[in-house]
């Protein structure tokens, strides 16, 4: 009889602990945004980024690898805790100081539930050379890692 | 009339007055009441009409005020949006902020004091860039 009571107490304790646990936090992902301007120096860009998962939340935005775009880009603060954002930046430096070819221009940190789809949409809204001439560039969103 | 004296001769007037005073005018109470009732109805209707006219007038005035406020607001906001389209491409994007920054660098940015602080500087560029990346209401 004592053993049964002990077993019930242990079961209750286990159930209680399970119920009191914090919900499982989402996964944080870093998504790198790359722009390839080919042979042209890249002086300005504007990209629309969106996570396919509606429950994903953008939690941070940082600048790129090249010194010309190392500062965080312009974005709407309302995009935080949202699943899409428009990022944009420019640099008025001389062509020699601007990136050419493929370069990481920003990184977006996203929090998603563990089971969420890892799909990102990236659209080029605008890109320009140092003289302000519009150019066609390729853009790519690549997930760096998942913690 | 036609140059003639149009007043009654005093003796005729006196006689008419005398006759009128002697004749008793009998008005039945029912007729009296009916006339009173009709008169009241008529005056109530006039009051109602005046009140209705007043209400319509106030409503029109309020509608005009709202329309004017809306127009003023559109006029205030519209030029700012158009002025932010620095490269006049028909939309505001980062290329406008870039164009303005280049103009500031070259010293040809006059007329783009978008925040109306008396100088055209980075704050104006930031204003254009903020407009470019703003999430639309339907997508926010």
């Amino acid at each position: 009889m004592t053993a049964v009571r002990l077993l019930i107490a242990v079961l209750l304790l286990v159930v209680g602990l399970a119920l009191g646990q914090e919900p499982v936090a989402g996964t944080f992902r870093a998504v790198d945004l790359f722009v390839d301007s080919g042979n042209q120096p890249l002086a300005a860009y504007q990209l629309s980024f969106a996570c396919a998962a509606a429950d994903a939340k953008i939690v941070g935005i940082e600048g790129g690898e090249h010194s010309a775009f190392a500062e965080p880009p312009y974005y709407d603060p309302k995009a935080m805790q949202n699943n899409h954002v428009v990022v944009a930046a420019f640099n008025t430096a001389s062509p020699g100081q601007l990136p050419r070819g493929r370069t990481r221009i920003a990184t977006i940190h996203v929090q998603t539930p563990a089971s969420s789809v890892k799909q990102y949409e990236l659209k080029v809204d605008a890109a320009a050379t140092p003289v302000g001439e519009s150019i066609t560039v390729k853009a790519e969103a690549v997930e760096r890692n998942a913690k | 009339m036609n140059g003639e004296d149009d007043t009654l001769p005093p003796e005729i007037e006196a006689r008419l007055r005398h006759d009128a005073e002697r004749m008793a005018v009998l008005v039945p109470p029912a007729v009296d009441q009916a006339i009173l009732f009709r008169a009241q109805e008529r005056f109530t209707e006039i009051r109602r009409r005046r009140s209705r006219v007043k209400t319509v007038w106030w409503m029109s005035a309020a509608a005009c005020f709202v329309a004017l406020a809306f127009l003023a607001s559109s006029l205030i906001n519209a030029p700012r949006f158009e002025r932010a389209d620095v490269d006049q491409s028909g939309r505001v994007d980062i290329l406008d902020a870039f164009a303005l920054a280049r103009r500031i660098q070259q010293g040809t940015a006059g007329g783009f004091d978008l925040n109306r602080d008396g100088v055209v500087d980075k704050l104006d560029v930031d204003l254009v860039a903020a407009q470019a990346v703003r999430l639309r209401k339907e997508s926010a």
Side-chain angles (χ1 to χ4, degrees):
Chain A
M1 194 64 181
T2 313
V4 173
R5 278 184 187 161
L6 191 65
L7 186 65
I8 290 170
V10 170
L11 279 173
L12 285 174
L13 187 68
V14 169
V15 170
L17 283 174
L19 287 175
Q21 264 185 347
E22 289 286 315
V24 179
T27 308
F28 288 92
R29 304 171 197 276
V31 184
D32 291 328
L33 306 187
F34 292 91
V35 168
D36 188 347
S37 61
N39 293 328
Q40 306 260 36
L42 181 71
Y45 71 83
Q46 181 172 320
L47 306 172
S48 295
F49 170 84
C51 302
D55 48 4
K57 288 175 183 173
I58 292 166
V59 292
I61 295 173
E62 63 177 91
E65 60 184 339
H66 195 281
S67 58
F69 294 108
E71 291 290 312
Y74 287 102
Y75 63 91
D76 189 339
K78 275 186 272 177
M80 288 294 144
Q81 304 298 310
N82 214 322
N83 72 336
H84 59 283
V85 66
V86 177
V87 289
F90 66 83
N91 195 306
T92 54
S94 60
Q97 294 171 299
L98 296 172
R100 289 167 195 260
R102 189 175 188 263
T103 182
R104 177 169 62 82
I105 44 89
T107 298
I108 297 183
H109 296 273
V110 182
Q111 183 183 14
T112 58
S115 56
S116 264
V117 202
K118 292 187 280 179
Q119 272 187 350
Y120 310 103
E121 290 166 22
L122 189 62
K123 188 169 77 74
V124 180
D125 295 332
T129 62
V131 291
E133 185 191 346
S134 282
I135 50 169
T136 306
V137 297
K138 289 176 191 163
E140 192 184 6
V142 181
E143 189 180 309
R144 195 187 297 172
N145 54 8
K147 291 175 195 170
Chain B
M1 278 181 258
N2 299 331
E4 292 175 13
D5 190 3
D6 58 352
T7 55
L8 286 171
E11 59 274 17
I12 296 177
E13 190 183 338
R15 183 152 182 194
L16 282 171
R17 279 187 189 281
H18 178 72
D19 288 351
E21 278 165 14
R22 277 199 331 178
M23 280 194 289
V25 181
L26 291 174
V27 179
V31 176
D32 208 21
Q33 282 296 316
I35 291 169
L36 189 64
F37 180 72
R38 286 222 179 146
Q40 278 173 344
E41 258 190 344
R42 174 79 182 138
F43 284 119
T44 309
E45 178 59 29
I46 288 169
R47 270 200 298 271
R48 239 184 251 150
R49 204 175 294 166
R50 276 186 190 161
S51 160
R52 245 181 264 150
V53 168
K54 235 183 211 177
T55 309
V56 168
W57 194 91
W58 278 111
M59 282 174 74
S60 310
C64 285
F65 181 76
V66 169
L68 280 174
F70 181 74
L71 190 68
S73 150
S74 324
L75 285 175
I76 288 166
N77 292 331
R80 181 176 289 194
F81 184 83
E82 284 165 15
R83 286 169 71 193
D85 185 10
V86 179
D87 62 7
Q88 298 184 337
S89 64
R91 69 173 199 151
V92 176
D93 57 21
I94 197 67
L95 301 189
D96 295 295
F98 181 45
L100 183 55
R102 289 180 60 230
R103 280 177 183 232
I104 291 171
Q105 217 173 34
Q106 294 159 1
T108 57
F112 286 101
D113 180 15
L114 302 174
N115 62 359
R116 292 167 190 169
D117 64 352
V119 284
V120 183
D121 56 11
K122 188 179 179 301
L123 294 178
D124 298 291
V125 175
D126 288 346
L127 202 67
V128 178
Q131 170 119 19
V133 298
R134 187 180 300 161
L135 293 181
R136 302 287 171 257
K137 267 184 187 172
E138 64 272 16
S139 64

